[in-house]
Every structure is written in structure tokens, then in C-alpha cells.
Amino acid sequence: GQNIDQPTEMTATEGAIVQINCTYQTSGFNGLFWYQQHAGEAPTFLSYNVLDGLEEKGRFSSFLSRSKGYSYLLLKELQMKDSASYLCAGDTGGFKTIFGAGTRLFVKA
Amino acid sequence: GAVVSQHPSWVICKSGTSVKIECRSLDFQATTMFWYRQFPKQSLMLMATSNEGSKATYEQGVEKDKFLINHASLTLSTLTVTSAHPEDSSFYICSARDLQGNTGELFFGEGSRLTVL
């Protein structure tokens, strides 16, 4: 079956670092996406990990461990505008992407 | 980067009517597009995979006769919600992958918010 788990909500302080974890079990796996979604808007692409390890892109970094079925998104120097939902999604092959329920991140001053 | 355009952005209709939503890939060809729906505070639920020139593949529990999908060209897929009812009110989002790109990124349309009265 397909299962992608991530925390429902997280709260962090402006300027801090936050890590959003994601575990997955999918039938077929090509890679792992992270998307950011603000309320009422479509998701926007953050990262796509295919190989194990950490990929850094500005304030955002994403990590993947294929053997553990685990990924995390790391957000540094948090800003108020980072308050959004963060969606972990598995690229299951056949070009099909399955999304987790999303983690709502609240950044407070 | 690749762009996917979706229209209309929002639509209000009466119960029993049908509504068509269009999804276009503007600068790349998409043999496969995906349709999702999203309820408030929930994640995207894959409804169906739209395949150019052939029938769509529907996810379990999605009524294919209610949600008609037509992928007539390499840049256009349409979703028609037939005989819409209030429970069909939702945010519908299409997406496509630019297979020529390096990231395999999934590009999303702007979404269409459907309200059925």
C-alpha cells in the first residue's frame, strides 16, 4: 500500500531552525518531493531527492534515506512568510505522485 | 520554468449542472497530467491520471462517470464534474511533469475552487 506520514502541525520562532520529518511506504519509489502550500493556493516546488543524502538550496535543505524510508525538510532562519503547509510526496513511478497530509507550520515572532 | 495554467480559478454553480475545468501546459508537452482534489486543511488526493489519446486512469473510489477527463492534446486536459452536488465543492488542482526537465518536478496549475449551491 501507499503510506506517507508527517506531523500535522509544528510551531517555531522567527529566526530559528525547524525540521519537518516524513516517513513513507510506497509500492515503487523514484524519489521524494517537498512542496510548500499557502492557504488557498496551489503547491510550489521546493525539492526533489532521488539519492540518499542532504541537498541544500538556500534556506531550505532536504534529506533522504531510501533504506529507512525517511526524509526531512530543514528550514533555516525562519521568516514569518514561511508559515504554510509543507507537503511530503512520494514519486511512486509511472509518473504518479502520492502526497502526505501535510504539516502546517506556524512561525511566531 | 515550465508553466501549467488552469481555468477557471473559481466557479459557482447550481446543483445538478456540469462544470468543466481546463488544464494547459504552456511551454512543454505533457503526455500525462494529474487531477487532484483538496478539501480544507487536508492534503491533495489524487483523483485520476489523464493520458493523452487514451482513457484516464482513476484512483479507487473516484467515480469515472461523475468526473469525466479528456486529454485531447499534448497540452490540454479537461475535467468535467457532471451533475454537481454540494459535496463536490472542493479545490481541484491539475499537475503535469516536464519530462525534459532535470528535476522531474511536478508543476501545478493555479487550482480551481468549485462551489456548488
Side-chain angles (χ1 to χ4, degrees):
Chain A
Q2 319 275 38
N3 200 36
I4 297 181
D5 291 319
Q6 53 183 129
T8 304
E9 289 186 0
M10 298 183 72
T11 300
T13 305
E14 193 175 17
I17 299 173
V18 69
Q19 177 174 313
I20 303 174
N21 296 323
C22 171
T23 57
Y24 63 88
Q25 283 183 311
T26 59
S27 54
F29 180 81
N30 289 337
L32 198 290
F33 288 101
W34 282 97
Y35 283 86
Q36 180 192 62
Q37 186 180 28
H38 286 97
E41 299 180 9
T44 54
F45 173 81
L46 293 178
S47 64
Y48 179 54
N49 291 61
V50 175
L51 302 176
D52 284 358
L54 183 69
E55 292 192 8
E56 299 184 62
K57 192 184 296 184
R59 294 191 299 117
F60 292 6
S61 301
S62 56
F63 172 84
L64 176 67
S65 169
R66 296 176 71 114
S67 62
K68 295 181 180 179
Y70 168 69
S71 173
Y72 67 74
L73 179 70
L74 193 70
L75 294 79
K76 303 176 184 176
E77 301 170 15
L78 278 174
Q79 302 175 10
M80 299 299 287
K81 67 177 182 179
D82 296 329
S83 293
S85 285
Y86 290 86
L87 307 176
C88 173
D91 179 2
T92 65
F95 311 123
K96 185 183 291 188
T97 303
I98 304 297
F99 284 83
T103 299
R104 286 194 297 279
L105 174 65
F106 300 96
V107 179
K108 59 182 182 179
Chain B
V3 177
V4 174
S5 177
Q6 192 172 336
H7 177 81
S9 300
W10 56 272
V11 58
I12 301 173
C13 70
K14 293 182 179 180
S15 184
T17 60
S18 294
V19 174
K20 180 186 284 187
I21 302 170
E22 294 186 347
C23 179
R24 295 180 185 274
S25 57
L26 297 185
D27 53 1
F28 67 99
Q29 294 183 332
T31 55
T32 304
M33 291 184 174
F34 305 92
W35 288 96
Y36 294 84
R37 70 185 296 182
Q38 185 176 34
F39 292 107
K41 296 186 179 181
Q42 295 186 25
S43 190
L44 287 79
M45 184 193 78
L46 180 64
M47 299 176 64
T49 302
S50 173
N51 304 299
E52 187 268 335
S54 64
K55 292 182 179 180
T57 304
Y58 290 82
E59 295 300 302
Q60 191 172 6
V62 178
E63 300 176 59
K64 60 181 180 180
D65 294 330
K66 178 157 188 69
F67 299 100
L68 300 180
I69 292 173
N70 184 20
H71 196 149
S73 77
L74 287 172
T75 59
L76 174 64
S77 174
T78 61
L79 168 69
T80 301
V81 183
T82 62
S83 186
H85 289 93
E87 57 266 29
D88 298 324
S89 298
S90 187
F91 192 48
Y92 293 87
I93 308 176
C94 71
S95 68
R97 297 183 74 165
D98 179 4
L99 299 181
Q100 303 302 316
N102 294 325
T103 66
E105 179 180 344
L106 192 64
F107 294 94
F108 286 90
E110 303 92 333
S112 300
R113 187 166 301 283
L114 171 64
T115 301
V116 184
L117 301 177

